[in-house]
Amino acid sequence: MLSLVVLISGGGSNLRALLEATADADFPARVVAVGSDTDAPGLEHAEAFGVPSFTVVPTAFADRAAWGDELLAQVEAWSPDLVVCAGFMRILPPRFVAALSPNLINTHPALLPAFPGAHAVRDALAAGVTQTGVTVHIVDEGVDTGPVLVQQAVEVLPGDTEHELHERIKTVERALLVAAVRDIATTAEGVRP
Ligand code: GRF
Protein backbone atom coordinates (compact mmCIF):
# COMPACT_ATOMS: atom_id res chain seq x y z
CA MET A 1 0.00 0.00 0.00
CA LEU A 2 1.74 3.20 -1.17
CA SER A 3 1.66 6.06 1.32
CA LEU A 4 1.08 9.46 -0.26
CA VAL A 5 1.59 12.99 0.98
CA VAL A 6 -0.22 15.47 -1.28
CA LEU A 7 0.82 19.14 -1.48
CA ILE A 8 -1.70 21.81 -2.49
CA SER A 9 -2.07 25.60 -2.62
CA GLY A 10 -5.62 26.09 -3.86
CA GLY A 11 -9.05 24.50 -4.27
CA GLY A 12 -7.67 20.97 -4.30
CA SER A 13 -9.95 19.26 -6.83
CA ASN A 14 -7.03 17.03 -7.83
CA LEU A 15 -6.46 16.23 -4.14
CA ARG A 16 -10.15 15.39 -3.81
CA ALA A 17 -9.93 13.03 -6.76
CA LEU A 18 -7.02 11.26 -5.04
CA LEU A 19 -8.87 11.15 -1.72
CA GLU A 20 -11.92 9.64 -3.41
CA ALA A 21 -9.88 7.07 -5.34
CA THR A 22 -7.75 6.05 -2.36
CA ALA A 23 -10.82 5.65 -0.15
CA ASP A 24 -11.45 2.48 -2.15
CA ALA A 25 -9.74 -0.37 -0.28
CA ASP A 26 -8.76 -1.93 -3.62
CA PHE A 27 -6.77 1.16 -4.65
CA PRO A 28 -3.06 0.46 -3.97
CA ALA A 29 -2.32 3.82 -2.29
CA ARG A 30 -3.58 5.98 0.56
CA VAL A 31 -3.21 9.66 1.40
CA VAL A 32 -1.56 9.82 4.83
CA ALA A 33 -1.30 13.62 5.01
CA VAL A 34 -1.91 16.82 3.05
CA GLY A 35 0.47 19.77 3.12
CA SER A 36 0.09 23.34 1.99
CA ASP A 37 1.99 26.62 1.79
CA THR A 38 -1.11 28.58 2.76
CA ASP A 39 -4.56 28.26 4.34
CA ALA A 40 -5.74 26.61 1.12
CA PRO A 41 -9.47 25.97 0.59
CA GLY A 42 -8.53 22.45 -0.49
CA LEU A 43 -7.54 21.60 3.08
CA GLU A 44 -11.27 21.16 3.64
CA HIS A 45 -11.09 17.99 1.53
CA ALA A 46 -8.45 16.53 3.84
CA GLU A 47 -10.66 17.32 6.83
CA ALA A 48 -13.70 15.79 5.12
CA PHE A 49 -11.77 12.56 4.61
CA GLY A 50 -10.23 12.58 8.08
CA VAL A 51 -6.72 13.04 6.70
CA PRO A 52 -4.23 15.09 8.76
CA SER A 53 -2.88 18.28 7.22
CA PHE A 54 -0.08 20.75 7.84
CA THR A 55 0.68 24.24 6.57
CA VAL A 56 4.17 25.74 6.17
CA VAL A 57 3.92 29.39 5.18
CA PRO A 58 6.99 30.83 3.40
CA THR A 59 6.69 34.28 5.00
CA ALA A 60 7.36 32.66 8.39
CA PHE A 61 10.92 31.80 7.29
CA ALA A 62 14.06 33.82 6.63
CA ASP A 63 14.43 32.45 3.11
CA ARG A 64 13.22 29.85 0.64
CA ALA A 65 15.80 27.28 1.76
CA ALA A 66 14.67 27.49 5.41
CA TRP A 67 11.05 27.19 4.34
CA GLY A 68 11.90 24.20 2.18
CA ASP A 69 13.76 22.51 5.03
CA GLU A 70 10.73 22.85 7.34
CA LEU A 71 8.36 21.66 4.61
CA LEU A 72 10.63 18.66 4.03
CA ALA A 73 10.72 17.85 7.75
CA GLN A 74 6.92 17.95 7.94
CA VAL A 75 6.56 15.81 4.80
CA GLU A 76 9.12 13.23 5.94
CA ALA A 77 7.44 12.95 9.33
CA TRP A 78 4.77 10.91 7.49
CA SER A 79 7.32 8.60 5.82
CA PRO A 80 5.59 8.83 2.43
CA ASP A 81 6.50 6.51 -0.41
CA LEU A 82 5.44 9.21 -2.87
CA VAL A 83 4.86 12.97 -2.62
CA VAL A 84 2.32 14.41 -5.08
CA CYS A 85 2.25 18.11 -5.93
CA ALA A 86 -1.35 18.78 -7.01
CA GLY A 87 -1.78 22.48 -7.57
CA PHE A 88 1.15 23.36 -5.31
CA MET A 89 2.20 26.79 -6.50
CA ARG A 90 5.70 27.12 -5.05
CA ILE A 91 9.08 26.25 -6.51
CA LEU A 92 10.59 23.51 -4.32
CA PRO A 93 14.15 24.23 -3.15
CA PRO A 94 17.03 21.96 -4.23
CA ARG A 95 17.40 20.23 -0.83
CA PHE A 96 13.71 19.31 -0.86
CA VAL A 97 13.89 17.90 -4.39
CA ALA A 98 17.15 16.07 -3.75
CA ALA A 99 15.71 14.39 -0.66
CA LEU A 100 12.52 13.13 -2.31
CA SER A 101 12.86 12.84 -6.11
CA PRO A 102 12.09 10.65 -8.02
CA ASN A 103 9.38 9.83 -5.46
CA LEU A 104 8.13 13.37 -6.01
CA ILE A 105 5.70 14.06 -8.86
CA ASN A 106 3.75 17.05 -10.13
CA THR A 107 0.74 17.58 -12.35
CA HIS A 108 0.89 20.47 -14.81
CA PRO A 109 -1.94 21.85 -17.00
CA ALA A 110 -0.04 21.82 -20.31
CA LEU A 111 1.81 19.41 -22.60
CA LEU A 112 5.35 19.99 -21.26
CA PRO A 113 7.80 21.17 -22.38
CA ALA A 114 5.24 23.57 -23.79
CA PHE A 115 4.00 26.28 -21.42
CA PRO A 116 5.91 25.64 -18.19
CA GLY A 117 5.37 27.87 -15.16
CA ALA A 118 2.48 29.22 -13.18
CA HIS A 119 0.31 30.49 -16.08
CA ALA A 120 0.27 27.51 -18.44
CA VAL A 121 -3.41 27.75 -19.39
CA ARG A 122 -3.28 31.49 -19.99
CA ASP A 123 -0.07 31.09 -22.03
CA ALA A 124 -1.58 28.36 -24.20
CA LEU A 125 -4.59 30.56 -24.95
CA ALA A 126 -2.35 33.53 -25.73
CA ALA A 127 -0.28 31.37 -28.08
CA GLY A 128 -3.42 30.48 -30.03
CA VAL A 129 -2.81 26.73 -29.94
CA THR A 130 -5.76 24.47 -30.81
CA GLN A 131 -4.55 21.73 -28.48
CA THR A 132 -2.97 21.76 -25.03
CA GLY A 133 -3.25 19.19 -22.25
CA VAL A 134 -1.96 17.74 -19.00
CA THR A 135 1.42 16.38 -17.92
CA VAL A 136 2.27 14.29 -14.86
CA HIS A 137 6.02 14.34 -14.36
CA ILE A 138 8.77 13.65 -11.87
CA VAL A 139 9.95 16.85 -10.16
CA ASP A 140 13.60 17.72 -10.69
CA GLU A 141 15.56 20.87 -9.84
CA GLY A 142 14.05 22.77 -12.75
CA VAL A 143 10.62 24.35 -13.15
CA ASP A 144 8.30 21.76 -14.76
CA THR A 145 11.32 20.11 -16.42
CA GLY A 146 11.46 16.63 -14.87
CA PRO A 147 10.92 13.34 -16.72
CA VAL A 148 7.39 12.99 -18.09
CA LEU A 149 5.37 10.06 -16.73
CA VAL A 150 2.18 10.54 -18.74
CA GLN A 151 0.49 13.21 -20.87
CA GLN A 152 -2.96 13.66 -22.36
CA ALA A 153 -4.11 16.24 -24.91
CA VAL A 154 -7.06 18.57 -24.37
CA GLU A 155 -8.69 20.53 -27.21
CA VAL A 156 -8.82 24.32 -27.04
CA LEU A 157 -12.24 25.47 -28.25
CA PRO A 158 -12.93 28.77 -30.02
CA GLY A 159 -13.83 31.44 -27.53
CA ASP A 160 -12.48 29.50 -24.54
CA THR A 161 -11.85 31.63 -21.50
CA GLU A 162 -8.92 30.70 -19.27
CA HIS A 163 -11.34 29.36 -16.70
CA GLU A 164 -13.34 27.28 -19.20
CA LEU A 165 -10.19 25.78 -20.68
CA HIS A 166 -8.66 25.09 -17.27
CA GLU A 167 -11.83 23.35 -16.09
CA ARG A 168 -11.79 21.17 -19.22
CA ILE A 169 -8.13 20.44 -18.54
CA LYS A 170 -8.82 19.58 -14.90
CA THR A 171 -11.46 17.03 -15.88
CA VAL A 172 -8.76 15.15 -17.77
CA GLU A 173 -6.09 15.94 -15.19
CA ARG A 174 -7.90 14.42 -12.22
CA ALA A 175 -8.35 11.10 -13.98
CA LEU A 176 -4.79 11.12 -15.34
CA LEU A 177 -3.27 11.85 -11.92
CA VAL A 178 -5.24 9.06 -10.24
CA ALA A 179 -4.19 6.66 -13.01
CA ALA A 180 -0.54 7.74 -12.73
CA VAL A 181 -0.55 7.18 -8.96
CA ARG A 182 -2.23 3.80 -9.44
CA ASP A 183 0.46 2.82 -11.97
CA ILE A 184 3.28 3.88 -9.65
CA ALA A 185 1.69 2.06 -6.71
CA THR A 186 1.08 -1.06 -8.74
CA THR A 187 4.64 -1.08 -10.06
CA ALA A 188 6.03 -0.46 -6.59
CA GLU A 189 3.87 -3.24 -5.23
CA GLY A 190 5.08 -5.42 -8.05
CA VAL A 191 8.74 -4.99 -7.23
CA ARG A 192 8.39 -5.57 -3.50
CA PRO A 193 9.65 -9.00 -2.35
C1 GRF B 1 -4.18 22.14 -11.57
O1 GRF B 1 -4.63 22.28 -12.91
C2 GRF B 1 -2.68 22.03 -11.53
O2 GRF B 1 -2.13 21.37 -12.65
C3 GRF B 1 -2.28 23.47 -11.54
O3 GRF B 1 -3.19 24.11 -10.68
C4 GRF B 1 -4.44 23.41 -10.76
C5 GRF B 1 -4.87 23.10 -9.36
O4 GRF B 1 -6.22 22.72 -9.37
N1 GRF B 1 -0.91 23.67 -11.07
P1 GRF B 1 -6.88 22.07 -8.04
O5 GRF B 1 -6.44 22.94 -6.88
O6 GRF B 1 -6.37 20.67 -7.91
O7 GRF B 1 -8.36 22.12 -8.31
Side-chain angles (χ1 to χ4, degrees), residues 8-15 86-89 106-109 121 134 166 169-170 173-174:
I8 66 167
S9 298
S13 73
N14 281 281
L15 163 65
F88 190 66
M89 301 306 282
N106 178 50
T107 180
H108 183 78
V121 178
V134 182
H166 203 165
I169 287 171
K170 283 192 191 182
E173 180 173 36
R174 290 187 283 262

Side-chain angles (χ1 to χ4, degrees), residues 1-2 27-29 82 180-190 192:
M1 180 66 72
L2 210 71
F27 194 89
L82 181 69
V181 168
R182 180 196 294 277
D183 290 350
I184 292 166
T186 307
T187 305
E189 294 288 309
R192 285 196 183 140

Side-chain angles (χ1 to χ4, degrees), residues 10-157:
S13 73
N14 281 281
L15 163 65
R16 181 149 192 122
L18 284 171
L19 288 166
E20 289 170 350
T22 54
D24 180 336
D26 294 333
F27 194 89
R30 61 195 173 111
V31 180
V32 296
V34 176
S36 183
D37 61 312
T38 182
D39 185 19
L43 293 174
E44 291 171 4
H45 299 313
E47 187 175 353
F49 280 78
V51 173
S53 63
F54 56 88
T55 300
V56 186
V57 180
T59 50
F61 297 85
D63 55 34
R64 178 192 293 272
W67 167 76
D69 290 345
E70 176 60 21
L71 183 68
L72 177 61
Q74 297 225 23
V75 166
E76 290 188 324
W78 297 97
S79 304
D81 299 304
L82 181 69
V83 178
V84 183
C85 297
F88 190 66
M89 301 306 282
R90 299 280 176 178
I91 307 296
L92 293 164
R95 274 200 296 265
F96 185 100
V97 176
L100 293 174
S101 193
N103 300 309
L104 174 61
I105 66 173
N106 178 50
T107 180
H108 183 78
L111 293 177
L112 293 172
F115 312 121
H119 306 291
V121 178
R122 183 192 315 172
D123 295 345
L125 275 177
V129 295
T130 56
Q131 189 177 78
T132 184
V134 182
T135 303
V136 180
H137 65 97
I138 292 169
V139 175
D140 68 6
E141 289 74 14
V143 177
D144 301 325
T145 54
V148 170
L149 293 174
V150 64
Q151 294 185 298
Q152 187 169 332
V154 174
E155 292 311 301
V156 180
L157 299 179

